Amino acid sequence: MTNSLDDLMVFVRVVELRSFTAVGETLGIPGSAISKQIKRLEKNVGARLLNRTTHGVSPTEVGRAIFDHAYNIMMESKAIDSLVSGFKNEPVGLLHVAAPVAFGNDHIIPLIPEFQRRYPEVRISLDLSNQYVDVAENGIDLVIRIANDLKPNLMARPLASVRYVPCASPAYLARNGVPQSPADLQQHQCLIYGRLRTQDTWHFIDTAGDRTGIRVSGPVVVNSTQSLRLLALQDQGITLLPSFSVAADLNEGRLRRVLPAVEFQGQFGDTLYAAYLPNPFLSPKVRVFIDYLVEKFATEND
């Protein structure tokens, strides 16, 4: 039907992403080049495979049938590639890793130099974002995710437990007093993680062992843990953050933990995971990076 397997694989990506431009960006070539490949494939097949509109592209009936077969071919090809790479003695190639911004900057970036000394043939592409990253759609090998539960289409290794710390600057507490119970938080300026809200509920485990919520409010709501940390450092109020975000500040006295006897729960989740798509032939570059993270985070939590 066609002499070009590459054209078929590009066609699969176009159907998945519904855009020549998006596929071009993932492959590092212009969208016009992708369009030419699709036209060449349509000429070889002798049928139109895509409907083109101002909103994107979608497969025709013939296109959908070809996509189903081509997708299976692509998956088999990837399985073969994974099988071959699994027999390599040393991890090699480009490793795509995604992680939250604050965690990536504070805890992944510092680990990269030693990892590259151990595995010099592995190059790392690190995508730092606080938005949800679709592992399959974005070609991510490994995603670092804080969650209670992961989607069933992902495999995962737990790296560490995540604790949440209510904290404020010494100057703020000197000026406004130190809360003695969770209920006292309602009398304080609370710096809240979220969007378009002026109040939120912070959850904690009460003396009976039950999960309880307390409504808090404050002058600032922001969807960035880094920003909340900076606001707390500027004496603007009490914030609730994962301990890894403020560990250095607490150790050096820039921030002070409040209500230390109370266990708080955050909205991100209580476990740090290294997650990846199921693959019976997990590539050496992914496997060694996961093992490296497990090693390092075990040391941090000792």
Side-chain angles (χ1 to χ4, degrees), residues 133-146:
V133 177
D134 188 297
V135 178
E137 184 174 311
N138 291 277
I140 301 297
D141 294 308
L142 186 71
V143 61
I144 308 301
R145 200 161 276 174
I146 301 170

Side-chain angles (χ1 to χ4, degrees), residues 97-155:
V97 180
V101 176
F103 187 86
N105 282 327
D106 293 342
H107 294 273
I108 300 299
I109 291 292
L111 297 180
I112 288 178
E114 181 180 342
F115 178 81
Q116 291 191 311
R117 285 193 295 270
R118 292 190 191 184
Y119 305 102
E121 299 302 316
V122 177
R123 294 180 298 122
I124 296 177
S125 172
L126 185 57
D127 180 3
L128 298 183
S129 173
N130 291 329
Q131 304 300 315
Y132 177 81
V133 177
D134 188 297
V135 178
E137 184 174 311
N138 291 277
I140 301 297
D141 294 308
L142 186 71
V143 61
I144 308 301
R145 200 161 276 174
I146 301 170
N148 291 320
D149 297 294
L150 293 173
K151 290 190 175 182
N153 67 322
L154 292 176
M155 301 291 290

Side-chain angles (χ1 to χ4, degrees), residues 217-229:
S217 62
V220 180
V221 179
V222 60
N223 65 330
S224 165
T225 57
Q226 289 177 314
S227 297
L228 290 173
R229 170 184 169 271

Side-chain angles (χ1 to χ4, degrees), residues 123-264:
R123 294 180 298 122
I124 296 177
S125 172
L126 185 57
D127 180 3
L128 298 183
S129 173
N130 291 329
Q131 304 300 315
Y132 177 81
V133 177
D134 188 297
V135 178
E137 184 174 311
N138 291 277
I140 301 297
D141 294 308
L142 186 71
V143 61
I144 308 301
R145 200 161 276 174
I146 301 170
N148 291 320
D149 297 294
L150 293 173
K151 290 190 175 182
N153 67 322
L154 292 176
M155 301 291 290
R157 289 270 301 275
L159 300 176
S161 297
V162 178
R163 301 188 310 278
Y164 291 85
V165 178
C167 56
S169 69
Y172 172 85
L173 295 173
R175 186 172 65 244
N176 297 278
V178 179
Q180 301 300 309
S181 70
D184 291 346
L185 292 171
Q186 294 180 314
Q187 309 305 317
H188 282 266
Q189 294 182 172
C190 292
L191 307 170
I192 299 166
Y193 184 95
R195 297 173 185 269
L196 301 178
R197 291 177 294 177
T198 57
Q199 60 182 0
D200 201 356
T201 301
W202 288 357
H203 292 95
F204 63 95
I205 304 301
D206 63 22
T207 55
D210 297 323
R211 188 173 189 263
T212 302
I214 186 77
R215 297 289 283 183
V216 298
S217 62
V220 180
V221 179
V222 60
N223 65 330
S224 165
T225 57
Q226 289 177 314
S227 297
L228 290 173
R229 170 184 169 271
L230 291 174
L231 287 165
L233 288 169
Q234 296 176 63
D235 313 325
Q236 295 303 297
I238 299 174
T239 190
L240 179 65
L241 291 175
S243 59
F244 61 75
S245 297
V246 291
D249 299 311
L250 294 171
N251 289 337
E252 297 174 18
R254 292 186 294 269
L255 293 176
R256 178 181 166 189
R257 179 172 182 171
V258 301
L259 302 172
V262 181
E263 178 186 347
F264 279 82

Side-chain angles (χ1 to χ4, degrees), residues 58-94:
S58 60
T60 63
E61 182 178 1
V62 174
R64 172 54 64 180
I66 290 178
F67 169 83
D68 291 339
H69 289 285
Y71 181 83
N72 290 334
I73 293 172
M74 185 176 73
M75 290 297 100
E76 289 295 329
S77 176
K78 286 185 176 182
I80 291 172
D81 289 341
S82 296
L83 179 63
V84 171
S85 67
F87 285 102
K88 293 183 180 293
N89 292 326
E90 296 294 333
V92 297
L94 182 62

